Amino acid sequence: MVLLVQKFDKFYSKLENFHHHKHNHQSQALTASLEAFKSHVSNCLNKLSLSSKSGLEIPSFSWIQQCFGLLPIINHAFAKLVVAIDYPVSKWEAASVDEYLKYSLNLLELCNSISSSLSHLGKARLSLAHALSLVENSSLSLALKHLKPIQPKVLNKELRFQGNEEIGKPRCSNISKQAVIDQALVVMQGMVFWVCGILMSGLVGEAKPYLEMRSSGGRFVDSWLPGLDLRASEVIVERNGVLKEVKELDDAVAGLAAAIGTGKSSDEAAEELRRRLEVFEKLVEGFGKEVDCLFNKVLAGRNQLLNGLGQQKQ
């Protein structure tokens, strides 16, 4: 009887050690997956050159397009994390599903705001192109009425998107798949909203959008890449968010208006403005296509998720 008890205790001890070892292995794997996600996002941000001392003109269209390019990369990294830890949305807690749906809706709204800002720039370009045609037709006095600098777009509402950081706070010492998803959700939202703040400031020509949205991800940026958020703030506030290409257009407009006003030959100034407008048109149209592509992908993914959730409830 004693021997039987000893054998049972030994077996139970081995079984307990096995489960403990398995649990530790799973925890390590989950931690590694989460850290890999954070590292990937951090490396992406690190590619953004924000040093005003480097001689780079910031912000420029090419630079904010580079920023925008981070959004699908961050979203894809999150999707890969979900697959890597084998924890589909169907297993998430309700609060996490709601948070993700809110995030996707906010991202769609931001895409609409970016598209609206690009549309504003496109209309300003058309007005200047019309002024140029008037110059070519020798309607100089009428052309002067249209040769005005591009006005910043007035935002109809504040851009204050904030993720629910409560869901990302650890609820116990042992990491779980749910905890990984929650923490990654907070990071993804913070980074995306921080980048969108930079984008919107560049497009509307003022620092306000960035200052409104930096609270969402500024602390993550500073903890991973010390000084990056501060440098971004300094550059954007210093230049008030005005894009390099917009400033160049405004300078060309001023040059043509001055040539007309003084009665000098305006041929050279008109050609300079025409060249700037052609470049600007391609930039605005190209960026607009990228925004539409992301909007469609986010919308399709959101609809697919909602349809799946609806089927589960039936």
Side-chain angles (χ1 to χ4, degrees):
M1 183 66 180
V2 174
L3 183 61
L4 184 62
V5 171
Q6 288 176 342
K7 286 183 177 180
F8 179 79
D9 287 344
K10 189 175 182 180
F11 171 77
Y12 183 79
S13 178
K14 286 183 178 180
L15 186 63
E16 192 175 47
N17 288 336
F18 170 77
H19 285 300
H20 180 70
H21 176 75
K22 183 179 179 181
H23 178 75
N24 284 343
H25 178 72
Q26 289 177 339
S27 295
Q28 290 172 2
L30 289 173
T31 300
S33 295
L34 179 59
E35 290 305 314
F37 167 74
K38 290 180 178 179
S39 177
H40 184 66
V41 174
S42 176
N43 289 337
C44 290
L45 289 174
N46 201 27
K47 293 177 182 178
L48 296 179
S49 178
L50 280 164
S51 175
S52 57
K53 297 179 181 179
S54 66
L56 293 175
E57 295 289 345
I58 300 172
S60 66
F61 238 110
S62 60
W63 186 74
I64 64 169
Q65 278 186 278
Q66 185 184 357
C67 289
F68 184 81
L70 293 179
L71 305 188
I73 292 175
I74 295 173
N75 284 338
H76 183 63
F78 179 80
K80 284 183 64 177
L81 174 65
V82 172
V83 173
I85 66 174
D86 190 24
Y87 199 62
V89 180
S90 58
K91 296 182 180 180
W92 294 8
E93 292 180 357
S96 300
V97 175
D98 289 344
E99 191 66 17
Y100 183 80
L101 288 173
K102 186 177 75 172
Y103 160 74
S104 63
L105 187 62
N106 287 338
L107 186 52
L108 290 174
E109 189 174 337
L110 282 165
C111 283
N112 281 332
S113 295
I114 293 172
S115 294
S116 177
S117 299
L118 289 171
S119 177
H120 172 79
L121 293 175
K123 290 177 182 177
R125 184 200 64 80
L126 285 174
S127 179
L128 292 175
H130 176 59
L132 200 56
S133 67
L134 290 173
V135 172
E136 292 171 349
N137 292 326
S138 300
S139 302
L140 301 183
S141 58
L142 189 57
L144 283 173
K145 295 180 180 180
H146 292 275
L147 287 173
K148 304 295 181 183
I150 296 176
Q151 297 299 312
K153 177 177 172 57
V154 178
L155 295 175
N156 295 324
K157 64 176 182 177
E158 294 183 342
L159 297 173
R160 293 189 182 276
F161 298 108
Q162 183 75 45
N164 180 11
E165 297 190 11
E166 287 299 318
I167 69 167
K169 292 182 179 179
R171 285 168 281 186
C172 60
S173 57
N174 296 323
I175 192 167
S176 64
K177 291 183 178 182
Q178 182 62 52
V180 169
I181 291 298
D182 289 342
Q183 290 182 47
L185 261 175
V186 172
V187 170
M188 177 173 65
Q189 292 184 92
M191 293 298 93
V192 167
F193 295 155
W194 182 81
V195 170
C196 284
I198 293 175
L199 284 170
M200 289 304 300
S201 282
L203 291 174
V204 304
E206 61 172 300
K208 185 180 177 182
Y210 172 72
L211 296 176
E212 287 178 348
M213 297 182 68
R214 66 183 300 202
S215 60
S216 297
R219 66 180 183 85
F220 289 117
V221 176
D222 266 345
S223 64
W224 295 343
L225 301 167
L228 181 60
D229 180 57
L230 178 61
R231 292 200 301 274
S233 179
E234 288 175 346
V235 169
I236 292 170
V237 172
E238 179 183 336
R239 293 198 53 170
N240 203 28
V242 177
L243 290 173
K244 170 191 172 186
E245 291 80 4
V246 171
K247 185 178 183 306
E248 289 173 343
L249 259 184
D250 288 345
D251 290 344
V253 167
L256 179 55
I260 294 173
T262 56
K264 297 179 180 179
S265 173
S266 59
D267 292 348
E268 185 176 340
E271 181 57 34
E272 173 67 10
L273 178 58
R274 182 180 296 104
R275 186 177 68 83
R276 296 289 184 189
L277 286 172
E278 289 175 355
V279 172
F280 197 69
E281 180 180 16
K282 292 178 181 179
L283 289 171
V284 171
E285 289 183 354
F287 196 6
K289 291 178 181 178
E290 291 183 37
V291 176
D292 290 342
C293 182
L294 179 61
F295 180 92
N296 291 333
K297 284 183 178 180
V298 173
L299 182 61
R302 177 183 169 81
N303 288 339
Q304 185 179 8
L305 174 56
L306 288 171
N307 289 337
L309 293 172
Q311 291 174 3
Q312 285 179 12
K313 293 179 180 179
Q314 292 177 357

